[in-house]
Amino acid sequence: SSAASDVYKRQELNLNNMNVRKYSSGVPIVCTNCTKLREINVFNSDVSSINLPNGGCLEKLLVSGSKISELTITSQPFLSILDFTNCVYLSKVYISDCSSITSLNFDNTSVQSIQIVGCGNLVSLSARNCTSLSMVKIDTCQSLTSIDLEGSSISLDNSDAVTLNFLGARALQTLNPVSYTHLRAHETE
């Protein structure tokens, strides 16, 4: 129908403050065919996952305070605004080939795994006060100069469970880790 095809032509999806009590675990959003979307706003909502298309023209992804638990973002060359602050359900993030992102904020989340690959203009990453962080992998982010992990509680029960890998982060100048005790950082060029 023409109504269904109009959905794929939308440039903005605004679900800001959408609360659906019927679905306590959250609501998944599937946008894999929505290649014209420029902005998705699920700020402070019950959205638990977003399936994005590879490629496209997404510029803003506003997920702060949502029920997002895992997110994979690949080949979004125009995406420049992305903030995960206060996503208390967030556990895993994988971002690849998003060349317009300059900063990422995971402050006050429950993120366990952050993987960033091929984001050449990324300058700063903040994961302050993250209570479950066990892995940060950065690969081919040559502009990255600052990583802030202040106040994060990294479990050191098993020292092999903690992974900090900064492959291709040659410009890194500031690393503010949780603790220098028992923390093993692997920096490789």
Side-chain angles (χ1 to χ4, degrees):
S1 81
S2 67
S5 66
D6 286 346
V7 169
Y8 299 128
K9 296 177 185 175
R10 292 190 63 94
Q11 291 190 4
E12 180 179 338
L13 178 61
N14 188 345
L15 301 173
N16 184 12
N17 291 311
M18 179 194 76
N19 295 304
V20 184
R21 295 172 196 223
K22 183 177 175 181
Y23 302 101
S24 61
S25 63
V27 178
I29 303 295
V30 178
C31 300
T32 52
N33 292 324
C34 302
T35 57
K36 304 272 188 221
L37 272 177
R38 293 192 182 279
E39 180 176 332
I40 298 175
N41 183 348
V42 296
F43 174 82
N44 202 28
S45 73
D46 284 347
V47 171
S48 59
S49 66
I50 301 174
N51 293 341
L52 296 169
N54 285 338
C57 55
L58 191 63
E59 296 171 2
K60 294 180 186 177
L61 180 56
L62 308 172
V63 297
S64 296
S66 69
K67 285 188 175 180
I68 294 284
S69 59
E70 291 186 14
L71 189 59
T72 296
I73 303 170
T74 57
S75 301
Q76 293 291 336
F78 304 105
L79 183 61
S80 61
I81 299 174
L82 181 58
D83 187 351
F84 295 96
T85 305
N86 297 319
C87 289
V88 296
Y89 297 94
L90 186 66
S91 64
K92 187 176 185 180
V93 175
Y94 177 81
I95 300 172
S96 173
D97 300 317
C98 296
S99 58
S100 293
I101 294 176
T102 58
S103 68
L104 289 170
N105 188 331
F106 297 95
D107 293 354
N108 304 310
T109 68
S110 57
V111 68
Q112 298 167 10
S113 169
I114 300 170
Q115 293 186 62
I116 314 296
V117 178
C119 296
N121 291 314
L122 180 65
V123 175
S124 66
L125 182 142
S126 180
R128 298 169 63 111
N129 303 312
C130 295
T131 58
S132 304
L133 190 61
S134 62
M135 181 177 70
V136 177
K137 288 188 177 182
I138 308 293
D139 189 356
T140 321
C141 297
Q142 58 271 19
S143 299
L144 185 63
T145 59
S146 174
I147 298 175
D148 188 352
L149 305 173
E150 184 178 328
S152 292
S153 300
I154 294 180
S155 173
L156 297 175
D157 296 337
N158 176 1
S159 62
D160 291 334
V162 177
T163 302
L164 297 177
N165 188 334
F166 309 119
L167 182 67
R170 293 184 177 127
L172 189 61
Q173 297 172 8
T174 305
L175 174 60
N176 186 3
V178 179
S179 167
Y180 291 104
T181 308
H182 299 109
L183 190 61
R184 297 183 334 180
H186 305 284
E187 184 172 345
T188 312
E189 289 189 31

